[in-house]
Amino acid sequence: MHSPTTVERTSDRELTVTRTLTAPARIVFEAWTTPELMMRWWAPGSFGIVFLSCDMDVRTGGSYRFVFGHPASEQPMAFFGRYIEVTPPSRLVWTNEEEPDGAVTTVTFEPVDGGTRIVVRDLYPSKDALDAAMASGSTGAWPEQFEALDNLLAV
């Protein structure tokens, strides 16, 4: 049985997402830091987007670039930033630089009862930036993404 994903606004500027998976932390961390695995779960199918490319240099000071396609857009969409902190297998921190008001994302991987509790914290530069992200629907993908990750790791 899969655990639920909780998504809550924990302050004017922060969104916190939590989910517990049955896989060990080192395996979950690998799914977040290996391009071939990331491409299998990160893009939410219900959004109609397809992962076109995934470049990740997962180290402190390294960068990432994810490119997605969507039938409604002639141009691909790129999401990119840099890794501020990489501490395997317990913590990742990165910037989201595709927009001026991008969040800083912190993900922790905590071993719990044979599984891993994942906590994602998106800290936005302002209340308005988080309001805009929530209004766009982009913050609503987490339950679907975590379900896909859970399914990937259950194989």
Side-chain angles (χ1 to χ4, degrees), residues 50-89:
V50 177
F51 225 134
L52 300 176
S53 68
C54 179
D55 297 311
M56 302 168 75
D57 178 11
V58 186
R59 61 181 173 81
T60 300
S63 63
Y64 72 91
R65 183 176 179 82
F66 303 156
V67 180
F68 300 96
H70 189 279
S73 176
E74 290 182 26
Q75 298 298 316
M77 301 171 284
F79 296 86
F80 53 91
R82 57 190 164 76
Y83 293 99
I84 298 170
E85 181 183 340
V86 177
T87 308

Side-chain angles (χ1 to χ4, degrees), residues 2-8 10 15-33 38 41-42 89-94 105-122 142-154:
H2 297 167
S3 76
T5 300
T6 62
V7 179
E8 60 183 321
T10 50
L15 186 73
T16 301
V17 183
T18 306
R19 172 95 175 223
T20 299
L21 305 177
T22 57
R26 66 177 179 75
I27 300 295
V28 178
F29 188 88
E30 187 177 319
W32 283 74
T33 58
M38 180 71 99
W41 69 271
W42 186 260
S90 61
R91 186 174 166 93
L92 289 170
V93 182
W94 67 82
T105 301
T106 300
V107 185
T108 57
F109 306 88
E110 177 187 350
V112 291
D113 297 327
T116 304
R117 181 174 184 254
I118 302 170
V119 179
V120 179
R121 289 182 176 86
D122 281 333
W142 285 111
E144 185 176 350
Q145 288 173 288
F146 276 140
E147 189 68 22
L149 177 58
D150 217 0
N151 291 335
L152 172 67
L153 297 177

